[in-house]
Amino acid sequence: MTLPYSFPPAAAWRLPRTWRLPLLLIALATLLAGCGKDAPKPGTATPEVTVLTLQNQSLALEQELPGRTIASQESDVRPQVDGVLVKRLFEQGQLVKAGQPLFQIEPALYQAALNEAQANLKTAEAAAVTARLRAQRMQALGKDQLAARQDVDDAIASAQQAAAAVQAAQAARDTASTRLGFATVTAPIAGRIGRALFTPGALVTSAQADPLARIQQVDPMNVDITQSSNEYLALRRAIAEGGVQANSAPVRLRLSDGTDYPLPGTLEFADIDVQQDTGSITLRAQFPNPEGQLLPGMYVRAQVGQGTQQQALLVPQSAVDRSAKGEAQAWLVDKEGKARLRTFRTARAVGNQWLVLDGISAGEQVVVAGAQGLADGMPVRVKPAPVAAPAGKD
């Protein structure tokens, strides 16, 4: 290397001592500058990033909400007459049909009351026949003026009273027959019956507080689902504005052990009031349950269809970071091929992607790989990402 500066001959060192040090520093600085010009510069290769071009798409929105299973019908089996239980006529925990006999109450007293009522009815019917015939004869005599008008009227009234007595006796017989029928306690609805709460030998009454047993209809099974009133109102607003199209997608269930219930259900209705303590509303769905897999009181997670968003924009979650304030951030590549850090808002997670609320538009390129070491405004080389799979449901 040729030095850009030549030191003076030895005679120069005979200069005053105060000049020697400045001359030495100037020579050293010139030497270093010359070396720097000849040194090679470090590599400045443009980084390569993989980008995904965002496109609007139709997205079926779903939300996973908590719920509880409830029997579609439930009824207590209660006695309607007093007496001693003499027999249980069903197997506990089995399915029963409506009207099937379940318990037998001692019927002797009610059978005797029915026999008495039937005898009274026959007596009343016989007396009515006699009174009717007498009234007919008195009317015939009255026409020939062979009987006083008062006697005729009395005979007719007696016949009518006898007929009314027959009707009263018939009602008493029907009542006695009904009470005898109540001695056999039957199932009010079809469904699965639980354990018997009273055993043979127990005295039961029509006014007792405890039921004899309980029947629950579990096919179909109802599921009460809880949803925030704010989310419900936001969905109604989005449907009204046209951003979301309402649909009647089936409801799906995930059981408490993490398995999926195989049969879909239908959304029946939404409750008309908001629970004051939780600020939520109740949605009711109904599911077929032919195998009895769903039991009343089970905790489940329901996948409820929320409509279809026609212009949905999704960003992969792997491309999104969070700022110190919790805001969503992603690297984008602008039209000049430079990296730009963009802050935007997300609405919800959809599978492994975020549904964009605002801040990013369709057609922009988001960096999905190679974002390490990027700086805002840095030129980059773009590599398209593979075609993404269809968006999953929310």
Side-chain angles (χ1 to χ4, degrees), residues 124-343:
E125 289 174 341
V129 171
T130 301
R132 184 178 67 254
L133 294 176
R134 182 175 182 277
Q136 291 174 353
R137 288 194 296 269
M138 293 300 293
Q139 285 178 325
L141 293 174
K143 290 180 180 180
D144 297 336
Q145 296 183 350
L146 299 176
R149 182 62 185 174
Q150 183 62 48
D151 294 337
V152 174
D153 292 342
D154 290 343
I156 295 174
S158 297
Q160 293 175 343
Q161 289 177 351
V166 170
Q167 293 179 346
Q170 289 175 339
R173 182 203 58 186
D174 294 341
T175 299
S177 176
T178 300
R179 292 178 66 82
L180 176 61
F182 285 158
T184 302
V185 182
T186 60
I189 62 172
R192 188 177 301 276
I193 192 169
R195 63 187 179 91
L197 302 180
F198 289 81
T199 58
L203 175 64
V204 297
T205 65
S206 59
Q208 68 184 39
D210 296 326
L212 302 179
R214 180 168 296 162
I215 300 175
Q216 294 177 319
Q217 189 177 90
V218 296
D219 185 23
M221 177 70 77
N222 289 337
V223 177
D224 281 355
I225 305 165
T226 303
Q227 183 181 31
S228 165
S229 59
N230 292 336
E231 294 175 347
Y232 179 81
L233 292 175
L235 174 62
R236 297 298 97 189
R237 191 179 304 113
I239 293 176
E241 294 174 353
V244 174
Q245 180 180 355
N247 57 27
S248 56
V251 183
R252 294 177 290 113
L253 279 188
R254 180 171 291 118
L255 304 181
S256 56
D257 60 357
T259 59
D260 292 330
Y261 185 67
L263 301 177
T266 56
L267 194 62
E268 296 294 310
F269 66 89
D271 211 347
I272 60 175
D273 56 359
V274 178
Q275 299 179 16
Q276 297 182 2
D277 53 345
T278 62
S280 61
I281 63 173
T282 300
L283 312 177
R284 172 159 289 184
Q286 194 171 83
F287 289 80
N289 190 31
E291 302 297 329
Q293 185 177 355
L294 298 177
L295 299 177
M298 293 177 64
Y299 174 79
V300 295
R301 302 287 297 182
Q303 298 285 343
V304 182
Q306 300 286 292
T308 302
Q309 185 168 338
Q310 301 299 329
Q311 299 293 325
L313 196 64
L314 299 173
V315 175
Q317 292 183 0
S318 59
V320 179
D321 292 325
R322 293 286 173 177
S323 67
K325 297 181 179 180
E327 299 172 321
Q329 293 180 332
W331 285 99
L332 279 73
V333 178
D334 62 14
K335 296 180 179 180
E336 299 177 357
K338 295 181 180 181
R340 301 293 182 185
L341 186 61
R342 181 77 60 82
T343 299

Side-chain angles (χ1 to χ4, degrees), residues 92-144:
Q92 301 175 90
Q94 298 299 311
L95 293 174
V96 296
K97 298 179 181 179
Q100 177 178 332
L102 301 178
F103 294 93
Q104 181 63 57
I105 298 174
E106 175 56 55
L109 291 177
Y110 302 104
Q111 182 65 58
L114 175 60
N115 294 340
E116 181 181 3
Q118 290 175 336
N120 292 337
L121 175 60
K122 291 181 178 179
T123 300
E125 289 174 341
V129 171
T130 301
R132 184 178 67 254
L133 294 176
R134 182 175 182 277
Q136 291 174 353
R137 288 194 296 269
M138 293 300 293
Q139 285 178 325
L141 293 174
K143 290 180 180 180
D144 297 336

